[in-house]
Amino acid sequence: MFFTYLRRELRRRRKAALVVASGLALGIALVIVVSSVSAGMEQAQGKVLQSLYGLGTDMTVTKAAEPPEEGDAEGGRPRFQFDAKDGGSGEEQSTDRVMVQGFQTLSSSTVTKVGEQQGVAGAVGGLSLNVVKVNGQFTQGEIPPGQGGPGGSQGRVQGGGADFEVNSYTVYGTDVTNLAIGPLTSSTIGKGRTFRSSETDAKVAVVDESYAKEKDLALGDTVTISGTKFEIVGIATPDSGDAAANLYIPLEQAQTLSGSKDKVTTVYVQVTDSQRIDAVKSTIQQNISGTTVTTSADLADTVSGSLSTASSLAANVGKWLSIAVLVAAFLVAGLLTMSAVSRRVREFGTLKALGWKSGRVTRQVVGEAVVNGLAGGVLGIALGLAGAYAVTAVSPTLQAQIGATGGTAGPGGMGGPVRQSASQAIEVALTAPISLTTIGTAVGLAVAGGLIAGAFGGWRASRLRPADALRRVE
């Protein structure tokens, strides 16, 4: 009896039901679009951050900054010395200076300590280096003929000088036994292969694609770093943005070249649960003194540009707009349902005179409102999916400007290898992914809208008396 009457009344009042359902649908569709765009913003920001610290890295640990000691020349400008050579005029001379880049070093034992902390799934160390290569030649000056002075004195020496070229590039010492964490994971090996776990001390290298093109390097070629030759076994292409380094070599080789035995600049950390990142950060800071812990959330604060602006709009303006539209839709649905009940005074009064209890009348009104809400939910989900698909199809391009996070982290953000510039612009395409959670939220809103509208109408229906049917003429 309940469903028969419900079906008949909904069919008889199709227009009113469509108005209520449409109002709810607009609010639900807006929620879906805003939620999907916000999720797309998070994905886009994730791509930007991944280009800096690599896939799978939740935080990095570096040594806390310390003021340089007086007279300490280690952190100063590099010094180059050339030996005088007999008959060396015009002879080419070359020297390399391999320096730890941007950070103070941590003991390799710190990697083990970090890995033992509660909530840490994995930790690997890395050593970021900067290599400055100077090569060129000295030219000896000469005294022009006929300019010798009296008594064998010499005239003024003319010509001569020095012509040197200075090149610098970045090298990253990576732990080849665990390649699932760290900056190299932000690149895809386009040619050749990555490191093997057995190559902990091998003279092999993976080169960034852009650097390989600049220096005309190919698979099988060798590169010389401070007199040591490394064979190129792979060419890496960054997934987005700039590469973490120009060259990647095994960590032990990087430590040997820089004279930093058992030292690392960065510990890359992966946590067991992404919801516990802040707790793990606090644990590491508390148990391992003298370190700075940087999370992806800290790095996200340095992202600016249109991506940051759009993300703020979606998170703030979009959220409050969705709430305002939903509240308005629920109120309108409730008022329309209550108005519809008022127009059915004679009907409900007659039903009560025939023996219907107030609770049965109320349940009938609430049932109709819930069905209207579900219909609005279906329509809203369809509109929301269409809107999200349109955003994904258009894929507007957003720009993210990456800046430094501070003195210790350097331009590389989360303690990773320092980039070649203090900031960089990365373009990412915006998508609007739809998750099951979003669909579930939409269904919940549809039911909630129907219940709220039914509550308004049920309250009005419960106040009707059989005598009211005799006072109303339709």
Side-chain angles (χ1 to χ4, degrees):
M1 179 66 180
F2 173 80
F3 292 103
T4 301
Y5 189 81
L6 177 65
R7 183 174 62 253
R8 182 176 64 81
E9 290 302 313
L10 289 173
R11 185 182 304 162
R12 190 160 65 94
R13 295 178 172 84
R14 288 192 297 269
K15 292 183 179 180
L18 182 60
V19 171
V20 174
S22 299
L24 292 174
L26 290 176
I28 292 170
L30 183 60
V31 170
I32 291 176
V33 172
V34 171
S35 297
S36 60
V37 170
S38 296
M41 295 293 180
E42 292 181 1
Q43 286 187 1
Q45 193 173 67
K47 290 181 180 179
V48 173
L49 300 183
Q50 179 186 330
S51 71
L52 297 179
Y53 59 79
L55 182 67
T57 302
D58 296 308
M59 64 184 69
T60 59
V61 180
T62 55
K63 187 173 183 179
E66 297 178 356
E69 297 181 3
E70 185 177 354
D72 182 12
E74 186 65 25
R77 296 182 179 180
R79 297 173 60 88
F80 298 93
Q81 295 180 347
F82 296 94
D83 295 331
K85 299 181 180 180
D86 294 336
S89 178
E91 182 177 347
E92 183 170 330
Q93 300 194 57
S94 176
T95 185
D96 289 354
R97 177 69 186 270
V98 181
M99 300 170 293
V100 173
Q101 187 185 55
F103 311 103
Q104 302 180 60
T105 57
L106 294 165
S107 172
S108 295
S109 61
T110 306
V111 181
T112 304
K113 292 180 182 178
V114 171
E116 293 172 348
Q117 301 303 307
Q118 185 176 6
V120 174
V124 299
L127 185 64
S128 180
L129 304 176
N130 186 63
V131 181
V132 180
K133 183 178 182 64
V134 178
N135 65 291
Q137 59 189 12
F138 293 103
T139 303
Q140 185 175 355
E142 297 179 351
I143 300 175
Q147 290 191 13
S153 60
Q154 300 295 318
R156 179 175 297 179
V157 177
Q158 297 182 5
D163 182 14
F164 281 83
E165 181 181 12
V166 180
N167 291 308
S168 65
Y169 55 94
T170 54
V171 177
Y172 178 70
T174 183
D175 187 346
V176 299
T177 62
N178 188 352
L179 296 174
I181 312 175
L184 189 55
T185 60
S186 64
S187 297
T188 301
I189 303 299
K191 296 179 181 179
R193 61 174 178 83
T194 188
F195 298 106
R196 298 191 178 103
S197 58
S198 59
E199 295 176 327
T200 55
D201 198 26
K203 294 179 176 62
V204 292
V206 172
V207 60
D208 172 58
E209 182 184 36
S210 298
Y211 187 73
K213 290 181 179 179
E214 178 186 346
K215 301 300 181 181
D216 195 22
L217 299 173
L219 289 177
D221 290 350
T222 59
V223 290
T224 302
I225 305 175
S226 190
T228 303
K229 292 184 177 181
F230 291 84
E231 179 186 357
I232 298 176
V233 297
I235 296 179
T237 303
D239 295 330
S240 61
D242 294 336
N246 299 132
L247 293 170
Y248 304 88
I249 61 176
L251 177 58
E252 290 187 18
Q253 284 290 335
Q255 292 171 335
T256 300
L257 289 174
S258 61
S260 305
K261 184 176 176 59
D262 295 328
K263 298 291 185 180
V264 297
T265 51
T266 311
V267 182
Y268 295 89
V269 183
Q270 185 180 50
V271 300
T272 55
D273 185 356
S274 61
Q275 302 300 318
R276 299 187 57 199
I277 289 179
D278 290 338
V280 175
K281 175 182 178 179
S282 299
T283 300
I284 295 174
Q285 289 178 322
Q286 181 178 358
N287 296 337
I288 305 177
S289 60
T291 58
T292 297
V293 183
T294 308
T295 68
S296 55
D298 298 328
L299 186 58
D301 293 337
T302 70
V303 178
S304 59
S306 59
L307 173 60
S308 177
T309 302
S311 181
S312 298
L313 287 174
N316 298 318
V317 178
K319 179 182 68 176
W320 290 111
L321 179 61
S322 299
I323 293 175
V325 172
L326 274 177
V327 171
F330 287 171
L331 288 176
V332 169
L335 293 175
L336 289 176
T337 302
M338 192 164 61
S339 175
V341 170
S342 298
R343 291 195 298 269
R344 298 166 67 184
V345 169
R346 184 173 182 178
E347 174 187 342
F348 290 137
T350 302
L351 290 174
K352 283 191 173 184
L354 293 176
W356 279 39
K357 301 295 184 181
S358 295
R360 185 176 181 181
V361 174
T362 300
R363 286 194 299 273
Q364 196 69 44
V365 173
V366 172
E368 294 176 13
V370 170
V371 172
N372 288 337
L374 291 175
V378 172
L379 181 58
I381 291 173
L383 291 175
L385 291 176
Y389 176 78
V391 172
T392 302
V394 175
S395 294
T397 300
L398 299 177
Q399 187 179 77
Q401 191 75 22
I402 307 300
T405 60
T408 59
M414 288 183 63
V418 177
R419 306 294 171 147
Q420 295 179 4
S421 58
S423 64
Q424 57 175 308
I426 298 175
E427 290 188 351
V428 288
L430 175 64
T431 59
I434 299 293
S435 64
L436 293 178
T437 302
T438 302
I439 300 298
T441 301
V443 173
L445 290 174
V447 174
L451 290 175
I452 291 174
F456 277 92
W459 173 80
R460 181 72 180 87
S462 65
R463 296 173 61 86
L464 295 176
R465 295 175 298 172
D468 292 335
L470 303 176
R471 300 194 187 102
R472 180 67 62 88
V473 178
E474 294 183 353

